Amino acid sequence: MNHFTSPKLFISPKVKKLGLELIQEFYIQQTARLAFYLDVNPSFNGHEAVFFWIRNYLEEYPEASFSEIRNHFTRLVPQY
């Protein structure tokens, strides 16, 4: 079972690793309202929004490094 999102949602180990790094680096709370900025399902909490945004980003840029992901995230979300 994936303990980081609700059981009906699946994320790969790579997405989970990158998402946790981003969440820890920016101290993102589950209550963060990020779905609007990241253009993911608005019902996602802050952590889920990060995980699914990274999943979508990696579908478009499969070889993206963490620094590329972090830089793109900071351009999309003004408070980070």
Side-chain angles (χ1 to χ4, degrees):
M1 178 190 290
N2 187 337
H3 298 284
F4 297 102
T5 61
S6 60
K8 65 182 174 286
L9 304 174
F10 173 77
I11 55 172
S12 71
K14 180 178 180 178
V15 168
K16 184 174 14 176
K17 177 185 176 297
L18 292 167
L20 288 173
E21 286 183 56
L22 199 64
I23 288 165
Q24 290 171 350
E25 181 166 328
F26 291 110
Y27 304 102
I28 298 170
Q29 301 295 312
Q30 279 191 330
T31 57
R33 309 284 290 170
L34 297 176
F36 173 78
Y37 297 108
L38 300 177
D39 195 28
V40 295
N41 186 324
S43 68
F44 290 159
N45 68 38
H47 291 180
E48 292 168 339
V50 168
F51 291 132
F52 281 89
W53 173 76
I54 290 174
R55 185 196 68 180
N56 295 343
Y57 189 81
L58 289 176
E59 285 177 2
E60 191 169 341
Y61 306 101
E63 301 302 319
S65 67
F66 177 73
S67 62
E68 292 169 320
I69 292 169
R70 182 185 59 229
N71 291 339
H72 194 75
F73 177 84
T74 57
R75 286 193 299 270
L76 292 175
V77 183
Q79 65 261 34
Y80 294 99

